[in-house]
Amino acid sequence: MPTYVTLLNWTDQGIRQYKDTAQRAEAFAAAARNLGVTLSNLYWTVGSYDLVAVVEAPDDETATAALLQLGGAGNVRSTTLRAFGREEIDRIIAKAAG
C-alpha cells in the first residue's frame, strides 16, 4: 500500500485545545480506518512542525479524503509527501534505466 508522510501544524484552534491532542489522534486513526487508511505512526515533534504522521492508503484519492477529513476538523494544517519504500524505488529505478 502507498505510504504518505504528513507534516502537521496546529491551527490557533488546535493549539488552544492541545490537551485533547491524543484523543484527536485516536479519532483520526478511527476515521481513517473507516476509509481504508492506516495511521502507521504519529509523532509529536519540536521544530518547524508540531506533528508528523505516517499513513498508508490504497491510493492517492483515499489518502487525500482522509487528510481532508482531518483538516476539516480545523485543528491542523497539513503538507503531505508520497513516500517510496525500498522495493518501490527499485522498481522506479528499473523503469528509469530502461
Side-chain angles (χ1 to χ4, degrees):
M1 221 181 320
T3 301
Y4 304 85
V5 175
T6 301
L7 308 172
L8 301 155
N9 279 314
W10 281 325
T11 61
D12 288 342
Q13 172 183 305
I15 193 64
R16 280 194 306 272
Q17 299 171 0
Y18 70 91
K19 292 179 183 179
D20 299 332
T21 188
Q23 291 80 14
R24 291 194 312 250
E26 290 172 11
F28 169 65
R33 271 193 305 275
N34 288 336
L35 293 173
V37 175
T38 301
L39 176 60
S40 301
N41 285 296
L42 180 66
Y43 303 98
W44 285 262
T45 57
V46 176
S48 298
Y49 296 96
D50 298 313
L51 302 102
V52 176
V54 179
V55 300
E56 293 180 351
D59 51 52
D60 292 346
E61 292 84 4
T62 306
T64 301
L67 293 168
L68 282 172
Q69 283 184 350
L70 175 63
N75 295 305
V76 293
R77 288 192 179 84
S78 65
T79 300
T80 302
L81 307 129
R82 170 65 166 91
F84 298 93
R86 174 61 191 261
E87 290 180 10
E88 291 173 300
I89 200 64
D90 285 345
R91 288 192 303 269
I92 291 167
I93 291 169
K95 284 182 183 182

